[in-house]
Amino acid sequence: MTSTFHSIETAKRSVITQSTALNTTGHNIANANTEGYSRQTVKMSATRPIEAPGFSHSTGAGQIGTGVEATQVVRVRELFLDGQFRQENATLNSWTTRADSLSKIEEIFQDPSETGFSAVLKNFWDSWSDLSKDPDSLTARSVVKENALALTDSMNQISKQLTDYASDLTANVTNTASEVQGYVNSIANLNQSIVKVEALGDDANDLRDQRDLFVDKLSALVNINVTDTAQGYNVSMGGQNLVQGYTPTTVDAAFLNNAYEGGTLTGGEVHGMILSRDTYVASYTNQLNQLANTIANGEVQVTFPKGSVMPEGTVAQVVNSDGTKTEKTYTGANRTLTSDTNIIVKGINGLQQMGYSMDTDANGAAKTGVPFFTSSDNGTLTAGSITVNPDIVNNLNAIATSMRVDANGKVIKGNNDMALITSELTGAKFSNADGTQSATINSFYSTMVGQLGVQAQEANRQTDNSTTIVTQIDSRRQSVSGVSIDEEMSDLLKFQHAYSAAARFMTTYDQLLDKLINSTGLVGR
C-alpha cells in the first residue's frame, strides 16, 4: 500500500523537475546571443507508478502515480541542416575569396580607365605618330623615349604587384593552415571531453555546441565531411582525415597545397586562395609576359615602301603576293626595294634593326637601329624585366626613324618611313611567341582585361547565389536551434506556475499530515 508520505515525495519530484525546467529556460535566455548555442529542452516523463492497495499483489484495477522526473536535458539540433550548411559554407567562402582576388587584380590593371595600361599603350603609339611628322626632332624623340619608359614601367609595376599578391596569397595559406590546425586540435580535444562527460550519464550539450561551432568555422576554411562515432566526430576533407576520434592530423601549408593538387581540397577560403594564386594570378602574369614579349619580339607583317634601303646583310622573310613566304638576303645592289614589300619582322626590336638612326660610324655612314626593348636582368624578356634599351635612353639619336640612305651610306634626313611604319603597328596583327594568337597589341590587352572582367562578374554572381543559399539554410537552422526570447518567456511562465502549483500541493499535504499527526488521538485528554 502507499505510504502516508507518498504525496510529499510526489510533490518533491514535481518541484525538482519544474526547477530543472526553469534553470534550463534561464540558461537558454542567458545564451540567446551566444554564437553557436543551441536551445535546450528538458525531457519529462512520469515516474514508475505503484499498484493499488493489496496484500502481495493488487486484485483491483488502477495504479497510483508517483510524480514526474526530468529524464534528459537535450539540445535542439537538426543534423541534416548542419551538413547542408557546412557544404554550402565551403562553397560560399571559396567564391568569396576568388571574387575578392579578382577584384584586387582588377585594381592592379586599373582598366578601363584614363590612367590604366591601355592609356599608357595609346600614348606610346601616338608618340610614334608624332615622331613620324618630324623624325629629326629631338623633342619628338624624347617624347617617344618617355612614353616607352612609361610603358615598360607600367608593365614592371603590374608584374611586381601580381608577384607581390601571389606572395600574399601564399602567406595567407600558411596563416590559414595554422587556423585550420587550431580548429582540428580543438575538435579532437572536445571529442575526448564529451565522451568522458557522457560516460557518466550526463549530457554534454554545451561542449557539443562548442564542437559544432568549431566545425562550422572549419567548414569556412576547407570543405569537410563529418561522421559522428562512439569516439566523437570524425572530420575528413575529400577523403583525407583531419580528425579521427581523439587524434588530430598535422595540417600545414604543404598539406593544403598537396590536397589542392590532389583534388581533395575543393572548397573553403584556402581553396579560393590557392586557386586564385595558381590560376588567376599565374594566368595574368603569363599573359602580361606574353604581351611584353610580343611587343618587343612578336612576329608582325609590315610593308616597307618602294625605295627603302635594307641594311647590308639583312635576312628577311618576304611575304609573296600569293601568301607564301620566301627567305631573302639583302646585300649589295639589291638592298634597295623596287616595290612595296611585305616582310615579317620580330616585333619593334626587329623592326628597329632594319632602319637607320641619326648616329653615324667613323666614316659618317648611318648606323642601323638597335633593339628598342631589352631585359633589365639580361635574361628572358618578361613584363617584370622589360625596359627601354639603355643605348636609346642615353642617346635619342639611336632611335631609328629612316629607311633611306644615299650612295655614301649617309642617312637621308627628314625621311620618316621607319617612324611611320612603327606608328602603324597599332593596327598590325602580332603573333605571340608560341604562335597561338594573332591580334593587335591593343586586342591582346583588351582580351586580357575582358576575360578578367567576365571572371570577376561570374565570381560575384556565384558569391551572391551562395550567400542566398547559406542565409536560407542558416535561417532554417536558427528556426530550429536558435533561442526565441518570446518562446522562452512563455515557457518561463508555464514552468513557474507548475512549480508554484507543486509547492502549493506540498503545502496542502503538509497541512493534512499536521492535522493527522498533531490533531488526532486527543479524545479523553
Side-chain angles (χ1 to χ4, degrees), residues 222-239:
V222 295
N223 55 290
I224 57 172
N225 293 313
V226 180
T227 305
D228 199 356
T229 69
Q231 288 189 322
Y233 282 172
N234 284 346
V235 182
S236 62
M237 179 181 67

Side-chain angles (χ1 to χ4, degrees), residues 10-27:
T10 299
K12 184 194 77 171
R13 291 177 177 176
S14 178
V15 166
I16 292 173
T17 301
Q18 302 307 323
S19 178
T20 301
L22 283 168
N23 289 335
T24 302
T25 303
H27 186 51

Side-chain angles (χ1 to χ4, degrees), residues 407-438:
N408 298 318
K410 294 183 178 180
V411 69
I412 297 177
K413 292 186 177 182
N415 180 265
N416 67 347
D417 288 345
M418 176 56 70
L420 189 59
I421 292 172
T422 306
S423 69
E424 292 173 347
L425 290 180
T426 182
K429 289 187 176 182
F430 285 71
S431 295
N432 58 9
D434 57 12
T436 57
Q437 294 186 52
S438 179

Side-chain angles (χ1 to χ4, degrees), residues 141-175:
R141 287 170 176 268
S142 178
V143 172
V144 168
K145 181 197 76 172
E146 293 302 327
N147 279 295
L149 287 171
L151 180 68
T152 57
D153 287 347
S154 181
M155 283 192 281
N156 294 162
Q157 179 67 11
I158 293 174
S159 178
K160 181 179 183 303
Q161 288 178 312
L162 288 173
T163 301
D164 289 345
Y165 187 48
S167 298
D168 289 343
L169 288 171
T170 298
N172 288 340
V173 170
T174 301
N175 294 335

Side-chain angles (χ1 to χ4, degrees), residues 5-273:
F5 300 96
H6 167 78
S7 294
I8 291 291
E9 179 64 23
T10 299
K12 184 194 77 171
R13 291 177 177 176
S14 178
V15 166
I16 292 173
T17 301
Q18 302 307 323
S19 178
T20 301
L22 283 168
N23 289 335
T24 302
T25 303
H27 186 51
N28 287 341
I29 294 172
N31 288 280
N33 297 314
T34 300
E35 183 183 14
Y37 180 80
S38 302
R39 179 169 58 92
Q40 298 179 12
T41 60
V42 177
K43 297 294 184 182
M44 301 182 189
S45 64
T47 52
R48 184 176 180 180
I50 61 174
E51 295 180 328
F55 286 103
S56 60
H57 189 274
S58 173
T59 57
Q63 290 182 320
I64 298 176
T66 59
V68 66
E69 65 179 350
T71 58
Q72 193 177 15
V73 178
V74 298
R75 59 186 194 132
V76 181
R77 196 93 182 187
E78 190 170 333
L79 298 180
F80 174 72
L81 291 177
D82 287 340
Q84 274 195 319
F85 175 83
R86 290 158 188 163
Q87 180 179 350
E88 295 300 332
N89 196 31
T91 301
L92 169 62
N93 281 276
S94 176
W95 278 114
T96 300
T97 303
R98 291 155 69 176
D100 182 65
S101 296
L102 289 167
S103 176
K104 287 183 171 64
I105 295 174
E106 284 184 312
E107 291 174 4
I108 290 173
F109 281 98
Q110 295 183 354
D111 268 308
S113 73
E114 295 180 357
T115 58
F117 181 77
S118 57
V120 177
L121 189 59
K122 180 179 182 300
N123 292 337
F124 174 70
W125 295 127
D126 289 346
S127 66
W128 277 103
S129 179
D130 293 338
L131 179 61
S132 70
K133 298 172 185 176
D134 189 3
D136 297 336
S137 169
L138 286 178
T139 300
R141 287 170 176 268
S142 178
V143 172
V144 168
K145 181 197 76 172
E146 293 302 327
N147 279 295
L149 287 171
L151 180 68
T152 57
D153 287 347
S154 181
M155 283 192 281
N156 294 162
Q157 179 67 11
I158 293 174
S159 178
K160 181 179 183 303
Q161 288 178 312
L162 288 173
T163 301
D164 289 345
Y165 187 48
S167 298
D168 289 343
L169 288 171
T170 298
N172 288 340
V173 170
T174 301
N175 294 335
T176 307
S178 299
E179 192 175 352
V180 171
Q181 185 70 73
Y183 289 136
V184 166
N185 291 342
S186 296
I187 293 168
N189 291 335
L190 283 168
N191 278 343
Q192 191 169 18
S193 298
I194 290 169
V195 169
K196 287 181 179 179
V197 169
E198 295 186 346
L200 301 175
D202 296 325
D203 295 306
N205 294 323
D206 293 335
L207 293 179
R208 284 180 172 271
D209 282 343
Q210 290 180 33
R211 184 177 63 181
D212 281 328
L213 177 61
F214 287 144
V215 172
D216 288 347
K217 290 184 178 295
L218 182 60
S219 72
L221 304 180
V222 295
N223 55 290
I224 57 172
N225 293 313
V226 180
T227 305
D228 199 356
T229 69
Q231 288 189 322
Y233 282 172
N234 284 346
V235 182
S236 62
M237 179 181 67
Q240 285 186 292
N241 286 327
L242 296 179
V243 180
Q244 192 166 18
Y246 312 149
T247 306
T249 298
T250 300
V251 178
D252 55 15
F255 176 88
L256 295 175
N257 279 294
N258 291 336
Y260 175 81
E261 293 174 2
T264 56
L265 176 57
T266 59
E269 287 183 17
V270 179
H271 174 261
M273 292 174 191

Side-chain angles (χ1 to χ4, degrees), residues 299-308 310 314-330 337-346 351 354 403 421 424-425 428-429:
E299 288 190 353
V300 59
Q301 178 179 311
V302 299
T303 302
F304 287 93
K306 177 182 177 180
S308 296
M310 305 301 288
T314 298
V315 179
Q317 264 194 322
V318 178
V319 181
N320 303 313
S321 58
D322 60 359
T324 60
K325 298 174 184 178
T326 303
E327 187 175 283
K328 186 174 182 179
T329 301
Y330 292 92
L337 303 181
T338 58
S339 63
D340 291 351
T341 305
N342 295 325
I343 295 178
I344 302 295
V345 299
K346 297 290 188 178
L351 183 60
M354 289 186 176
M403 286 299 300
I421 292 172
E424 292 173 347
L425 290 180
K429 289 187 176 182

